[in-house]
Amino acid sequence: MYVMTFLTLGIFWIGQQTQLNHLARSDRGLSWIHLVFLFAVSITPFSTSLLAELSGFRVALLAYWANIFLLGATLYASWVCATATGLVKSGLPAGVPLAIKRRIMIAQSWYAFGALLCLLGTHWSIGFIVAVQVYYAVAPRVPWRRQHHPAAG
C-alpha cells in the first residue's frame, strides 16, 4: 500500500509541478485551490492506512478512491482557474491547456473505473488502480499520438 500511495502522490506532484511551470503568476483564488490540494495530500496517509488494514472492504477502497478523486478534482480546478484568469505564461502552445485537462480527466476516469471494479472484488480494484498508477508513472509515449510541445515538457 505504501508503494501504491507513493506512486499516487508522485504522479499528482508531477502533475502539479507541470501546471506550476506553465504559470506566469498566481492569485489568491489559485492559492486556495492549491491549499485544498494540500489538504487532499495530507489525508492520503489516513486513506492509505484504512485501505491497508481493511483491504477486503469496499468502503475502505472507496475512501481511498475519494481521496484520489479530491486530488484530481483540485488539480483540474487549479488548471481551469489558471487558464480562465490568464495566469498562464504567454506563448504557451495552443494544445497544451486542453492536453493537461484531458490527461487529468482520462486518469480520473480510469481511477473511477478501478473503484467500480470493487463490485467484482476489492483485490481486482486495487490491482487495476496499481496498473493505472504504473502507466502514469512510466508515461509511455504512443508513437502515432506523439506531438512535441516544448512547453509541455
Side-chain angles (χ1 to χ4, degrees):
M1 291 299 162
Y2 176 80
V3 172
M4 184 173 84
T5 299
F6 182 79
L7 276 174
T8 300
L9 291 176
I11 291 163
F12 281 104
W13 184 80
I14 290 169
Q16 184 188 42
Q17 293 307 304
T18 299
Q19 287 185 17
L20 294 175
N21 286 333
H22 291 310
L23 296 182
R25 58 191 172 82
S26 185
D27 67 8
R28 187 175 178 88
L30 187 62
S31 294
W32 277 106
I33 293 170
H34 282 275
L35 283 174
V36 174
F37 181 81
L38 289 175
F39 171 75
V41 169
S42 74
I43 62 172
T44 303
F46 169 74
S47 67
T48 301
S49 66
L50 189 66
L51 185 58
E53 291 178 30
L54 305 170
S55 64
F57 293 93
R58 289 183 183 112
V59 70
L61 182 65
L62 293 176
Y64 186 80
W65 184 81
N67 195 174
I68 290 174
F69 175 78
L70 183 58
L71 285 163
T74 55
L75 202 59
Y76 188 86
S78 71
W79 187 246
V80 168
C81 175
T83 56
T85 56
L87 301 175
V88 296
K89 293 177 182 173
S90 61
L92 193 64
V96 172
L98 181 60
I100 289 174
K101 287 178 13 179
R102 185 181 315 123
R103 186 168 176 91
I104 294 168
M105 291 303 296
I106 291 170
Q108 289 300 102
S109 298
W110 284 115
Y111 283 129
F113 178 76
L116 286 175
L117 281 177
C118 74
L119 297 174
L120 298 176
T122 57
H123 293 12
W124 283 101
S125 187
I126 292 168
F128 186 81
I129 289 173
V130 168
V132 170
Q133 290 167 324
V134 168
Y135 174 82
Y136 277 95
V138 174
R141 299 279 183 194
V142 180
W144 60 84
R145 299 238 13 223
R146 180 177 287 210
Q147 297 175 355
H148 182 66
H149 297 289

